[in-house]
Amino acid sequence: MKPYFYDLHIHSCLSPCGDDDMTVHNILGMAMVKGLELIALTDHNSCKNCPAILKAAEGAPLTVLPGMELCTSEEFHVVCLFPSLKPAMAFDEYVYSHLPKVNNNEAIFGKQQILDEQDQVIAVEPIMLAGASTISVEQLPGLMAQFGGFAFPSHIDKNSFSIVASLGLIPPELGFTCVEVFQPNTFFARPGARLITNGYRVITNSDAHYLGDIAEPERQLELESPDFYGLVKSLRVR
Ligand SMILES: [Zn+2]
Ligand SMILES: [Zn+2]
């Protein structure tokens, strides 16, 4: 076991709220400058920039996991990670078929750019990615088993798109073993906060939408290996 610096929740310019500078090379470059060793690309309801970042990361001294920040029908954000591109893109296709077919309004919400590994824009996603899918959080355990992924509720301490803000707790039957707390110092100062996360592995990621927000090398996870299997082995243990 060895400690690795991580950031498992990063948005690219495919997320409408993600800055245009969040290209695959810029994200990789910034993660490497900061000394991160394990990162994940997690755009809203889409994995379509994962092929580019995984290709661009070949030979780089860090591991990039393909992922997505799913917005469930209840408007909970949940980060879903995958061991490789194939299951990630299969999940992407599944989620895409469960998105309301509403066109994105770039002027209001921002661009949704799909890149190649050279940072060239190869397509623009026309369907709005930021809204709720028709997938219920209750479906997630089954979907993660089906697609071979690992999911954890995002930013449970935020006021919006948070399972805890809505329900006040994490229903145990959902089978999550890990939760993301965005600002642990503030959250754990709240009375009762430890009761909410009791029994869960707590991690903190940047949820970066701008390059400068990508995590500093401040937090580490003890892993057997800095990859999906090492990560899941660690985070599945309560
Ligand atoms: Zn979120
Ligand atoms: Zn996010």
Side-chain angles (χ1 to χ4, degrees):
M1 298 281 269
K2 197 177 152 264
Y4 293 95
F5 290 112
Y6 70 96
D7 188 355
L8 303 173
H9 184 168
I10 299 173
H11 293 265
S12 79
C13 56
L14 173 56
S15 293
C17 40
D19 192 52
D20 288 353
D21 283 344
M22 292 299 265
T23 65
V24 299
H25 277 276
N26 285 350
I27 291 169
L28 284 175
M30 186 59 86
M32 286 190 280
V33 163
K34 293 199 172 184
L36 302 181
E37 295 161 295
L38 179 62
I39 67 169
L41 184 64
T42 56
D43 283 306
H44 291 295
N45 291 329
S46 182
C47 297
K48 289 194 174 68
N49 268 345
C50 292
I53 198 163
L54 262 66
K55 188 120 209 232
E58 280 172 15
L62 83 174
T63 304
V64 184
L65 299 179
M68 170 193 296
E69 186 175 29
L70 176 72
C71 186
T72 70
S73 57
E74 301 88 355
E75 299 202 327
F76 305 151
H77 282 183
V78 180
V79 168
C80 305
L81 304 177
F82 298 91
S84 64
L85 212 45
K86 202 174 167 192
M89 298 319 287
F91 187 67
D92 174 88
E93 201 178 320
Y94 178 85
V95 171
Y96 198 74
S97 69
H98 289 78
L99 291 181
K101 296 297 176 275
V102 177
N103 283 336
N104 180 42
N105 185 331
E106 273 193 8
I108 297 174
F109 300 109
K111 293 181 201 160
Q112 300 183 153
Q113 302 179 105
I114 300 172
L115 306 180
D116 67 10
E117 67 274 18
Q118 308 292 336
D119 277 357
Q120 298 299 310
V121 179
I122 53 169
V124 171
E125 174 53 60
I127 299 300
M128 195 172 83
L129 294 173
S133 68
T134 58
I135 300 168
S136 165
V137 71
E138 291 171 4
Q139 293 172 258
L140 272 175
L143 286 171
M144 288 303 101
Q146 182 186 341
F147 289 93
F150 178 78
F152 57 84
S154 311
H155 42 67
I156 61 162
D157 50 332
K158 284 192 179 175
N159 290 328
S160 51
F161 301 112
S162 147
I163 192 167
V164 169
S166 261
L167 305 179
L169 51 77
I170 303 145
E173 62 271 24
L174 296 176
F176 293 118
T177 57
C178 169
V179 293
E180 178 190 77
V181 173
F182 184 62
Q183 290 184 307
N185 291 344
T186 314
F187 178 70
F188 287 112
R190 277 159 48 179
R194 298 260 170 217
L195 290 175
I196 294 169
T197 60
N198 191 23
Y200 291 92
R201 292 291 308 273
V202 175
I203 59 172
T204 294
N205 301 298
S206 72
D207 194 7
H209 290 70
Y210 293 85
L211 275 177
D213 293 337
I214 289 174
E216 299 295 329
E218 293 170 338
R219 294 187 178 85
Q220 290 174 298
L221 281 170
E222 288 275 343
L223 305 175
E224 275 182 16
S225 52
D227 55 23
F228 179 84
Y229 297 101
L231 183 74
V232 168
K233 197 165 178 192
S234 165
L235 298 184
R236 274 214 181 114
V237 178
R238 287 216 189 178

